[in-house]
Amino acid sequence: MNGKALNANMLYYLFDSTNMHRWNDHLRTLDLSEMDKQAHKTAIAWVLGKCEEDAGAAIDWHRLIEHNLFSFIQRIALTDLKPQVFHRIEEEKADDVSRYVLCEFDRSVPHTDEGFRKRFEEYLYSDRSSKEDAVIRAAHYLATKWEFDTIYEVNRSVYGIEDTKKEIDGQIGQHSDLAGVRDLMTKRSDLDNFIDIVGQLRFQQRWARTPRIPKTTVLGHSLLVADMVYLNDCDCGVEGEQVYNDFYTALFHDLPEVLTKDVITPVKTSVSGLPDLLEGIEHEMMEKRIMPLIPAGWREELRFMAYDPFSDSDLPRRNGKEIKACDWLAAWMEAHISICYGVSSKSLRDGKVDIGRKLTAVGGYGETIDAFDIIADFEKMEI
């Protein structure tokens, strides 16, 4: 049966990656989840794609966004295999792995858009030789290296750690034909620092001071919102630059919080004038600390994405209301799923009710993504 690409089963399938823990056979200085790794990879792929454009290459951003999501879906299906095992199985049993991944996807997401599912199947059986696929692979290894660097010092005594280091460096080196990879390999650059500061959003927990399972981070939340927006754009037949603007605005909508932390809504709404003051401080700090890290030609675009992400725009085209609806829906999911897992609190229950009201209000933002139906399906789902 044909359905919509944006649906409750798809969202829970993606969200469940927060329960996949990376490097869990090593000492870790922070929890490293698959959701956060995929979010960081997605931001790095944007950096590498922009570098390729600056070097004169053409990037199909729609393909990059969708193939990035497809690679995420594939990784979830293969759970938490060690990378060496994952890549060897991919190489030696490619068709068998593809059949298994597709079967797992169909089981977990039984009703989705037929076009989306067909493109996913084509992706699985393709050779993934496009420029966009190369960018995604390179971003994957760079995100892995960032994670590895956070745990390296406390694992110096672990047998084989130096071999792991050499292997990761070698994998990155295989993508030195990409302009951004060459830049990142040859020196500690401003782009290195930008990638690092985006990664710091993996340190920041959502729903501060509220017990929850699973704990989610600002960066992982941002990817979930971005993927929701993309899936909704698929359902609505959105094409062209709006796909790019909607997706990357959603991905970077919380970037200023790396400089101010995630101030919880009750605090923002209780102090008169605080939201405007915080916004001014965020923009000032972004200009001083983040904008100098990226090429001048990218800065206006990042301002557009990060400074006023929930406003509609015609030039360039963007649907900010849908992005806000997806932001609320992701927050609702974080509360609802924790409550289903058995970890709850008054603030979490109240938050779920309040966000749910906003999403299901007649004529509200939630109507743009059919939030009423998605919430109803979540309520019926066995979690």
Side-chain angles (χ1 to χ4, degrees):
M1 181 187 295
N2 192 29
K4 292 188 174 182
L6 181 63
N7 62 75
N9 289 119
M10 171 69 89
L11 295 183
Y12 185 66
Y13 185 82
L14 296 175
F15 185 88
D16 197 40
S17 65
T18 57
N19 292 311
M20 295 172 60
H21 301 284
R22 295 176 53 78
W23 300 98
N24 54 4
D25 54 348
H26 293 72
L27 289 169
R28 291 168 295 166
T29 52
L30 73 157
D31 191 21
L32 299 167
S33 76
E34 187 64 33
M35 172 70 86
D36 292 349
K37 157 65 183 297
Q38 294 291 332
H40 205 181
K41 180 188 81 173
T42 304
I44 295 170
W46 178 77
V47 170
L48 297 181
K50 296 293 288 183
C51 287
E52 285 301 296
E53 287 189 331
D54 285 354
I59 292 292
D60 183 335
W61 287 101
H62 193 156
R63 177 190 290 159
L64 191 147
I65 290 166
E66 184 160 89
H67 283 202
N68 192 80
L69 175 56
F70 289 161
S71 71
F72 183 13
I73 293 171
Q74 179 194 36
R75 197 68 182 90
I76 295 170
L78 296 172
T79 63
D80 54 353
L81 288 171
K82 288 178 73 71
Q84 299 93 328
V85 178
F86 173 78
H87 296 303
R88 182 168 176 179
I89 290 174
E90 261 200 315
E91 291 172 4
E92 298 182 12
K93 298 285 185 179
D95 286 350
D96 290 339
V97 168
S98 295
R99 279 191 290 272
Y100 171 77
V101 169
L102 199 60
C103 181
E104 280 296 292
F105 178 73
D106 287 341
R107 181 184 64 81
S108 301
V109 189
H111 306 299
T112 189
D113 175 70
E114 289 180 359
F116 180 85
R117 197 259 185 205
K118 181 180 179 181
R119 294 194 303 276
F120 179 47
E121 182 176 8
E122 290 171 350
Y123 166 84
L124 289 174
Y125 288 100
S126 72
D127 60 7
R128 298 167 219 170
S129 59
S130 70
K131 170 75 74 173
E132 294 74 23
D133 290 308
V135 165
I136 292 166
R137 283 192 296 272
H140 163 82
Y141 291 124
L142 287 166
T144 297
K145 176 174 170 52
W146 185 92
E147 290 180 329
F148 180 78
D149 288 346
T150 69
I151 68 169
Y152 176 65
E153 289 300 327
V154 295
N155 285 278
R156 292 290 290 269
S157 62
V158 172
Y159 175 73
I161 195 71
E162 296 301 328
D163 291 337
T164 302
K165 185 176 187 298
K166 289 178 184 176
E167 184 177 355
I168 294 171
D169 290 341
Q171 289 164 335
I172 294 171
Q174 292 174 15
H175 295 84
S176 59
D177 57 317
L178 297 175
V181 173
R182 288 196 301 273
D183 180 75
L184 293 167
M185 286 176 62
T186 55
K187 60 185 182 298
R188 179 72 189 188
S189 67
D190 285 337
L191 286 180
D192 269 303
N193 293 328
F194 178 76
I195 289 170
D196 182 64
I197 206 164
V198 170
Q200 290 175 35
L201 288 173
R202 299 177 67 167
F203 305 161
Q204 294 189 24
Q205 297 292 325
R206 295 269 299 163
W207 297 81
R209 296 181 288 176
T210 304
R212 269 189 320 118
I213 293 179
K215 293 180 179 178
T216 53
T217 70
V218 171
L219 189 58
H221 165 86
S222 297
L223 177 63
L224 184 61
V225 175
D227 283 337
M228 283 187 195
V229 170
Y230 177 70
L231 293 167
N232 190 63
D233 279 353
C234 288
D235 290 331
C236 296
V238 173
E239 297 179 347
E241 69 168 1
Q242 186 179 340
V243 173
Y244 175 93
N245 292 330
D246 286 352
F247 182 84
Y248 288 107
T249 294
L251 184 67
F252 291 119
H253 78 277
D254 277 338
L255 181 59
E257 290 185 8
V258 76
L259 305 172
T260 61
K261 294 184 67 176
D262 182 16
V263 181
I264 60 176
T265 300
V267 173
K268 287 181 182 177
T269 56
S270 297
V271 181
S272 177
L274 182 58
D276 290 338
L277 176 60
L278 280 173
E279 183 178 290
I281 293 172
E282 286 176 346
H283 294 180
E284 180 183 323
M285 294 178 72
M286 283 276 292
E287 293 298 324
K288 288 181 179 179
R289 295 192 55 197
I290 293 182
M291 291 303 174
L293 302 179
I294 62 175
W298 306 4
R299 293 173 191 170
E300 197 56 42
E301 187 175 284
L302 189 61
R303 291 185 185 103
F304 172 70
M305 294 170 180
Y307 284 4
D308 192 16
F310 304 133
S311 66
D312 289 347
S313 174
D314 290 325
L315 290 173
R317 180 75 177 161
R318 179 182 69 194
N319 195 323
K321 291 185 177 66
E322 289 181 5
I323 297 170
K324 185 60 184 176
C326 291
D327 184 44
W328 280 341
L329 182 56
W332 184 91
M333 286 173 57
E334 290 163 352
H336 172 72
I337 291 169
S338 182
I339 293 168
C340 288
Y341 284 177
V343 176
S344 184
S345 65
K346 185 177 186 302
S347 59
L348 205 59
R349 293 189 296 273
D350 289 349
K352 176 188 169 181
V353 170
D354 181 57
I355 298 167
R357 283 200 195 103
K358 293 176 183 176
L359 283 168
T360 57
V362 176
Y365 289 3
E367 288 188 350
T368 64
I369 61 169
D370 292 329
F372 184 89
D373 290 339
I374 293 173
I375 287 175
D377 287 341
F378 262 110
E379 295 283 10
K380 292 182 288 187
M381 191 184 297
E382 290 187 16
I383 294 177

